[in-house]
Amino acid sequence: MVVNKILNWYFKRESLPYWCLLLADTVIVFLSTIFAFWIFEKTQLLFNERFDVIFTALFYAALSLISSKVFRTYSGVVRYSSFVDLMRVFYAFLLNVVLAVIISTILQHFGITLIAALTQTQTVIAFIIAMLCMWGMRILVKALYDIAVTDKKALRVLIYGALSGGVGLAKNIRSQRPLKFRLRGFISHDKRAKHIELMGEKVYNVDDDDLAAIIKRDKIEAILVSPLRVTEFRENQELQDMLIANGCKIFMAQQAKEASIKDGQLTEEDIQGMQLKEVSVEDLLPRSEIKVDMKSVGELLTGKRVLITGSAGSIGSEMVRQIAIFKPEKMMLIDQAETPEHDIRLMMANQYPDIKAETVVTSICRQDRMEHIFSEFKPDYVFHAAAYKHVPMMEDNPSEAVENNILGTKIIADLSVKYGVKKFVMVSTDKAVNPTNVMGCSKRICEIYVQSLNSELRKRNKQKIQIDGPEFMNYTQFVTTRFGNVLGSNGSVIPLFREQIKKGGPVTVTDERIVRFFMLIPEACKLVLEAGTKGNGGEIFVFDMGKPVKIAELAKRMIALSGAKNVKIEFTGLREGEKLYEEVLNELEGTKPTFHEKIRIAEVREYEYSEVNRQIEELVSIAKHFDNMATVKKMKEIVPEYKSNNSVYEILDKK
């Protein structure tokens, strides 16, 4: 009871004054000297020479004050003692011995003996006893503190990645207060680490050890993934499935800043910046890290006027954030969704107050409004992300798809030419490839228009050079970027599944065979920025989306990760216009490499601008009558590869 009161009093304090530890160490040296004399001599002799012994003990205690000052053995907080603190005590011990031997020798030379029976060997032993007692005191206090502050709910964990950042992660979790994790071992692919121990815990091999049995035996509740093994862990679907099946939570180390990695290990500074977060399904999708040369992107955008359409959407809003970092001269942000656009307005005011940013609520289809914005703002770069994107909605509203996606793009593109925009970057989709729905076809027509417009401008430029001489006439360059689904975007399956799981199910999947490509929103936007700013005009850039993911497996994994019980998956059948498999190229398209391994250029059929322009004008005219069949029929004329799937428009393909 008394001990508990003392511990509670001590551990509730931030720390004790430094002189308390200094006094404790001095007392230890004093008592250790007396104890060493008693070991070698009889008790009676100790009693007879008690004054000499006490004087010598005081002398050695005084020496210890000098060494403590030199190596600052009192500067640490005992409850947080580390190997560094123990080494300071060791260095102080060496200095104590050297000083004691030297001073004793000098005094003996002058006929002054401290204790005749306490030889130099015995002096060394006295200080060894003192050092061990100091170590013991620090280790004991730290152990008692760890026990006192450990949360009873602390999870029993294994760390994935032993030698590669795992030790740093282990030190990090052991220094947390209160302790949230109890380390019970490491998981490694390295054969050299098999059957060894790190920090007192075993290292298990992924390939040779029965991890499922070990998890059950040791009651492992969570796996912590080393920051240097995240990509490797993501790619090991079999290991993930086993962990999830055994009820293990998964945490990944997420660092506040990029790690400075030396010799495969994290530095102490990196370890301090590490944060652990329980993973979501997005973290586990198999994908390799995408590195983008954002420095060169920034050099192009810094000090420029940038216009972004669809600025409140999933892609557009992320592009706003990424571009704002480079300090453009001014930003014009356009979206027709009032509340999300207001959120962007507040975000810019709070996070980027030094950047002049105008947020405009309007439709890109309003020719007069767009004309006014371009004439006043005169953008250098246009990033066009505004579009209707939901497949079932556009199947029911093809006229709106034509007006917003196609006419809106044409208006923005034409104004970019009129007002001398340097580069126009359009965000497209993999659904534009061999489209099976209205939305995908509308985006393919947008691709065709901006590419044909770029070719026309290039042709006019060459003619200008021939007529007026070799002086180069600048013209707007049009670049298209094409990629698949982005994780967590508005209306995507992951937020939908998460909400359905929260309600107890069922989780609805259209077809058990359906697969999709996924990419993180920040990664997609970085690729858009690099492709857009480095493109020379006329390209359709396609992104390496990694491995396709089965949506049914995605749903199963989300259910397992949530810990929810009895949540069922319900297959509802393909929606109108929906594909089983998305593509980024059609059979007639090839690709060429670019400046980035994750970005390639699609070699697509090119169209004559005059013909495309005429066809689109006819399409827009038809769409104004809201005749769905006539509108889609015209879209199929422009894009012959558009074959409807699970849609009322399939009848047009038969004709």
Side-chain angles (χ1 to χ4, degrees):
M1 184 66 72
V2 175
V3 173
N4 287 336
K5 286 183 178 180
I6 294 174
L7 290 176
N8 288 333
W9 171 82
Y10 171 58
F11 293 141
K12 286 179 180 178
R13 296 176 64 88
E14 187 72 23
S15 64
L16 293 178
Y18 77 91
W19 59 263
C20 292
L21 181 57
L22 185 60
L23 177 62
D25 287 345
T26 305
V27 170
I28 286 174
V29 173
F30 177 81
L31 295 177
S32 297
T33 304
I34 295 173
F35 180 69
F37 185 86
W38 176 78
I39 291 174
F40 295 102
E41 306 296 340
K42 295 178 182 180
T43 305
Q44 184 62 43
L45 182 60
L46 176 61
F47 180 78
N48 293 337
E49 300 186 7
R50 57 185 181 277
F51 294 110
D52 289 341
V53 172
I54 291 173
F55 177 76
T56 303
L58 288 172
F59 174 72
Y60 287 164
L63 288 181
S64 73
L65 289 173
I66 298 173
S67 60
S68 294
K69 179 65 177 177
V70 172
F71 294 104
R72 299 181 61 82
T73 59
Y74 51 83
S75 61
V77 180
V78 181
R79 72 192 74 163
Y80 302 141
S81 294
S82 63
F83 180 73
V84 174
D85 296 302
L86 299 184
M87 288 305 298
R88 285 176 179 166
V89 173
F90 175 72
Y91 297 142
F93 151 74
L94 292 179
L95 183 57
N96 278 333
V97 170
V98 171
L99 289 176
V101 170
I102 291 175
I103 293 175
S104 295
T105 303
I106 293 173
L107 290 176
Q108 287 177 6
H109 178 72
F110 290 101
I112 303 171
T113 303
L114 294 174
I115 299 178
L118 202 60
T119 64
Q120 291 184 352
T121 301
Q122 293 166 354
T123 298
V124 171
I125 292 174
F127 280 114
I128 289 177
I129 294 171
M131 180 186 69
L132 293 177
C133 289
M134 291 179 193
W135 279 0
M137 178 188 69
R138 286 161 170 77
I139 293 171
L140 178 62
V141 172
K142 177 175 171 52
L144 290 173
Y145 179 68
D146 288 344
I147 294 171
V149 300
T150 299
D151 190 334
K152 294 181 180 178
K153 296 180 181 178
L155 301 177
R156 300 167 66 89
V157 302
L158 297 176
I159 290 180
Y160 179 85
L163 302 177
S164 300
V167 172
L169 182 56
K171 290 179 180 178
N172 186 41
I173 65 172
R174 283 186 169 179
S175 66
Q176 291 177 344
R177 295 296 179 268
L179 292 177
K180 298 178 181 178
F181 304 102
R182 295 179 183 176
L183 181 62
R184 288 295 177 264
F186 297 83
I187 300 173
S188 175
H189 285 275
D190 194 336
K191 299 289 186 182
R192 295 172 300 173
K194 187 179 179 182
H195 300 317
I196 69 171
E197 287 192 0
L198 291 174
M199 301 179 68
E201 303 295 343
K202 289 185 178 180
V203 178
Y204 302 103
N205 189 270
V206 171
D207 301 315
D208 299 338
D209 290 307
D210 187 350
L211 293 179
I214 292 168
I215 287 170
K216 291 178 181 178
R217 182 195 70 199
D218 295 343
K219 299 179 181 179
I220 301 300
E221 300 168 277
I223 302 296
L224 312 184
V225 182
S226 162
L228 297 183
R229 285 289 174 260
V230 170
T231 299
E232 185 178 58
F233 183 80
R234 282 197 190 113
E235 294 174 352
N236 196 333
Q237 296 286 300
E238 185 178 347
L239 175 61
Q240 293 174 28
D241 291 339
M242 183 276 292
L243 295 174
I244 293 170
N246 282 277
C248 284
K249 296 180 179 180
I250 300 171
F251 292 80
M252 286 188 179
Q254 304 203 347
Q255 293 184 255
K257 56 184 178 180
E258 291 185 9
S260 169
I261 300 172
K262 299 177 180 178
D263 301 325
Q265 294 291 330
L266 295 171
T267 65
E268 289 294 325
E269 185 180 353
D270 299 324
I271 294 170
Q272 293 301 318
M274 244 187 281
Q275 298 175 342
L276 289 171
K277 171 193 167 190
E278 188 171 358
V279 302
S280 59
V281 69
E282 296 97 313
D283 299 311
L284 296 181
L285 292 179
R287 52 187 171 81
S288 55
E289 182 184 4
I290 297 176
K291 296 181 179 179
V292 176
D293 181 14
M294 296 303 288
K295 183 179 179 181
S296 61
V297 172
E299 290 172 353
L300 292 173
L301 297 179
T302 300
K304 300 297 191 298
R305 294 182 302 279
V306 180
L307 184 148
I308 302 174
T309 68
S311 58
S314 303
I315 295 295
S317 61
E318 179 62 26
M319 291 182 67
V320 170
R321 282 184 282 270
Q322 292 192 12
I323 292 173
I325 294 172
F326 301 123
K327 300 187 182 304
E329 178 190 338
K330 198 171 183 181
M331 298 180 73
M332 174 65 68
L333 312 178
I334 301 172
D335 203 291
Q336 63 180 349
E338 182 200 10
T339 300
E341 185 73 343
H342 182 256
D343 293 338
I344 293 297
R345 182 189 188 96
L346 294 177
M347 184 271 291
M348 290 299 297
N350 293 330
Q351 298 182 24
Y352 306 99
D354 297 334
I355 297 177
K356 296 178 182 178
E358 292 187 39
T359 47
V360 178
V361 179
T362 188
S363 169
I364 59 172
C365 303
R366 289 187 57 188
Q367 174 83 42
D368 56 344
R369 186 73 172 101
M370 292 300 106
E371 179 90 37
H372 180 264
I373 288 173
F374 270 79
S375 64
E376 292 290 323
F377 185 68
K378 293 184 173 57
D380 297 305
Y381 288 85
V382 171
F383 291 90
H384 179 46
Y388 287 148
K389 66 175 185 176
H390 294 291
V391 170
M393 289 291 289
M394 294 305 100
E395 286 298 290
D396 295 338
N397 300 276
S399 296
E400 301 303 322
V402 169
E403 182 176 18
N404 189 76
N405 292 4
I406 300 174
L407 177 59
T409 297
K410 186 177 186 302
I411 289 172
I412 300 299
D414 292 346
L415 288 172
S416 295
V417 175
K418 181 177 179 179
Y419 289 99
V421 170
K422 293 179 180 179
K423 195 160 293 185
F424 176 104
V425 182
M426 189 185 82
V427 175
S428 188
T429 170
D430 55 4
K431 292 178 177 62
V433 182
N434 294 326
T436 60
N437 52 66
V438 169
M439 195 285 284
C441 183
S442 71
K443 295 299 285 184
R444 177 63 188 129
I445 294 173
C446 293
E447 291 182 353
I448 292 170
Y449 182 74
V450 299
Q451 190 176 38
S452 66
L453 179 55
N454 192 88
S455 298
E456 178 67 15
L457 293 173
R458 185 176 291 158
K459 189 187 303 180
R460 292 176 187 175
N461 188 55
K462 288 181 179 179
Q463 293 173 352
K464 179 74 173 176
I465 292 174
Q466 292 174 355
I467 295 172
D468 298 336
E471 295 181 4
F472 183 78
M473 182 186 76
N474 291 325
Y475 66 95
T476 304
Q477 297 175 332
F478 288 85
V479 174
T480 298
T481 57
R482 183 193 288 173
F483 56 92
N485 300 281
V486 287
L487 291 167
S489 63
N490 298 330
S492 66
V493 295
I494 290 178
L496 174 63
F497 288 172
R498 191 173 287 126
E499 189 63 28
Q500 290 175 334
I501 292 169
K502 190 184 296 182
K503 293 179 179 178
V507 174
T508 56
V509 179
T510 55
D511 192 288
E512 61 181 343
R513 299 167 294 168
I514 197 167
V515 298
R516 289 290 182 266
F517 292 100
F518 286 101
M519 181 177 284
L520 288 177
I521 293 176
E523 292 177 344
C525 290
K526 286 179 181 178
L527 290 174
V528 169
L529 291 176
E530 181 165 24
T533 52
K534 290 186 177 179
N536 296 314
E539 305 99 333
I540 294 180
F541 290 106
V542 294
F543 299 162
D544 179 357
M545 299 293 294
K547 299 177 182 178
V549 177
K550 287 192 73 173
I551 301 300
E553 293 300 319
L554 181 68
K556 290 177 184 176
R557 182 164 291 197
M558 287 189 69
I559 294 170
L561 281 172
S562 72
K565 305 297 181 184
N566 303 319
V567 175
K568 295 182 179 179
I569 295 176
E570 183 179 296
F571 296 103
T572 58
L574 289 175
R575 300 174 297 176
E576 286 186 311
E578 191 171 36
K579 290 181 181 182
L580 280 175
Y581 314 101
E582 298 289 9
E583 308 152 275
V584 290
L585 297 169
N586 69 29
E587 292 179 357
L588 301 178
E589 294 177 354
T591 62
K592 295 183 293 185
T594 68
F595 41 81
H596 194 289
E597 61 179 3
K598 294 286 184 179
I599 304 175
R600 298 186 70 82
I601 298 174
E603 296 179 307
V604 299
R605 170 191 168 188
E606 295 194 14
Y607 293 74
E608 280 294 325
Y609 170 73
S610 58
E611 178 62 17
V612 172
N613 192 50
R614 182 186 66 79
Q615 293 270 32
I616 288 178
E617 287 179 354
E618 289 182 11
L619 174 61
V620 171
S621 178
I622 293 170
K624 287 180 179 178
H625 295 90
F626 308 107
D627 184 335
N628 290 351
M629 281 294 175
T631 300
V632 174
K633 180 181 178 182
K634 184 62 181 177
M635 294 176 76
K636 289 178 181 289
E637 288 180 14
I638 300 173
V639 184
E641 64 269 24
Y642 169 26
K643 305 296 180 186
S644 298
N645 184 38
N646 193 34
S647 171
V648 295
Y649 307 121
E650 288 180 68
I651 190 172
L652 296 172
D653 299 323
K654 295 176 182 177
K655 290 181 180 180

